Amino acid sequence: MNTTPRVTVVIPVWNGADWLPACLRALAAQSFRDFLVIMVDNGSVDNSRELARAYPRVSVIKFERNRGFAAAVNAGIRQCSSEYVVLLNTDAQPRPDWLQHLVHAMDAGGPEVGCLASRMLSMGNPALVDNCGDILSWQGAAAKRGHGQPADFFGRSEEVFSACAGAALYRRSLLETLGGFDERFFAYLEDLDLGLRARMRGYRCLFVPEAEVLHQGHGSGISSARYVRLVTRNRLLLFLKNVPARLLLRHALSLIYGQWYFLVAYRRPLASLAGYCSFLACLPHVCRARRRTLKNIVVPLEALDRLLAKKMPEPPLRELAWNWLRRPRKKKK
């Protein structure tokens, strides 16, 4: 008798006790039943592990310290043998038919469909979109497709650049082919990195509007300075370890503009500088990963060029700089 489930749901947790019970209750109410849950605890100091033990379908992997999102989900993926792997954030609450729609869509898709994006709705206002798939621009801007727009505008299944790993389904064979998520990212942009590598290998990503999840966003907080440092470093990792040299040269001005843009946008120059410095320590990893990635590209260069947006969905740099200069100063006592 085959006891291997078709789906394994991997939930990375770091001090997520405020959100975890509702997430697990929503999974317990799924109409699709052939799944198991692996919760990977990233060194939480709250009672997340104790809460998970109240649910019989949940097994727990415990880390002694926070090793980051990528390491956590990789640990869960290595423990499973199911055909499909679902990643779900702690602060997400899927609708009862969420898994059913994802599995049906993947079963109906061809082998080139490697991952699926959910329709993630704002938990505060479910009529609005939180994320309907991720977008990446040549300036390095990572955008949530449809964020803040009416959910009714996104009712059609279509191809997207990549899936937000907060609520996504992957073929386990794709994850094994790509070697999982890059743990050097620790947190932020690792799902875009995996999505880009998958697209370069010829896989497609589809948006499934029927697969709905309510999402809070930033349910496990991190300091602003650390966020800026990680995202600054990871943006460089994402491009320099994956993109062929010809495209890097073709879009060099856009890439440089993006670095200046986010330096101004984040308003934390020291944290940005720390991100650049930490990238230098990753150069040996970048060189090794780059050789592996470029050796296995199957997508034509021009098709790869079209995968990334030419313009970033952000206000122009001059507007940001002007707002920064005009921001009120704290008066000295």
Side-chain angles (χ1 to χ4, degrees), residues 10-82:
V10 178
I11 307 175
V13 177
W14 180 58
N15 296 330
D18 289 344
W19 302 102
L20 185 60
C23 177
L24 294 178
R25 285 196 299 269
L27 284 173
Q30 292 295 301
S31 57
F32 180 86
R33 305 303 298 170
D34 193 10
F35 73 96
L36 293 176
V37 179
I38 297 177
M39 188 191 97
V40 185
D41 182 76
N42 242 331
S44 296
V45 294
D46 62 11
N47 63 333
S48 293
R49 292 188 297 276
E50 289 73 18
L51 290 171
R53 293 191 181 104
Y55 295 84
R57 300 168 68 92
V58 180
S59 60
V60 177
I61 298 174
K62 178 185 175 182
F63 289 170
E64 294 302 322
R65 59 181 176 85
N66 188 353
R67 292 169 53 187
F69 177 91
V73 296
N74 281 349
I77 292 165
R78 286 192 294 268
Q79 289 294 316
C80 75
S81 55
S82 56

Side-chain angles (χ1 to χ4, degrees), residues 228 259-273 315-330:
V228 171
Q259 297 304 313
W260 281 107
Y261 182 92
F262 289 108
L263 181 66
V264 174
Y266 291 147
R267 301 182 181 182
R268 288 183 174 270
L270 292 180
S272 295
L273 180 61
L317 182 59
R318 60 182 179 275
E319 181 179 330
L320 279 184
W322 179 244
N323 290 338
W324 190 4
L325 291 172
R326 294 181 60 195
R327 75 187 193 279
R329 300 284 199 269
K330 292 183 179 179

Side-chain angles (χ1 to χ4, degrees), residues 137-139 239-240 243-257 290 299-310:
S137 81
W138 280 109
Q139 295 81 14
F239 279 89
L240 295 183
V243 179
R246 283 175 58 187
L247 290 183
L248 289 175
L249 290 173
R250 182 183 297 178
H251 296 282
L253 292 179
S254 293
L255 291 166
I256 293 170
Y257 173 83
R290 183 174 177 82
V299 175
L301 207 63
E302 295 306 317
L304 178 57
D305 192 342
R306 292 191 295 271
L307 287 176
L308 275 65
K310 297 296 187 291

Side-chain angles (χ1 to χ4, degrees), residues 129-237:
V129 165
D130 178 66
N131 189 312
C132 287
D134 284 341
I135 300 169
L136 180 65
S137 81
W138 280 109
Q139 295 81 14
K144 298 178 179 182
R145 178 173 168 265
H147 183 71
Q149 298 182 41
D152 291 344
F153 291 180
F154 297 86
R156 180 170 61 90
S157 179
E158 55 189 307
E159 188 167 347
V160 294
F161 174 74
S162 72
C164 170
L169 182 145
Y170 299 87
R171 292 189 189 274
R172 188 164 59 88
S173 57
L174 175 146
L175 296 170
E176 291 174 345
T177 297
L178 298 178
F181 290 82
D182 188 339
E183 296 183 15
R184 290 298 179 102
F185 280 68
F186 187 82
Y188 304 112
L189 305 185
E190 64 281 285
D191 48 359
L192 282 158
D193 170 74
L194 184 112
L196 178 58
R197 288 187 284 130
R199 300 305 298 267
M200 294 167 76
R201 293 290 289 264
Y203 287 102
R204 300 168 61 217
C205 179
L206 299 182
F207 166 61
V208 183
E210 298 86 1
E212 290 189 343
V213 170
L214 301 179
H215 187 229
Q216 174 65 28
H218 302 290
S220 294
I222 191 170
S223 69
S224 297
R226 193 180 190 196
Y227 169 82
V228 171
R229 177 174 63 82
L230 288 171
V231 172
T232 299
R233 182 198 64 181
N234 292 352
R235 188 176 293 111
L236 292 173
L237 279 174

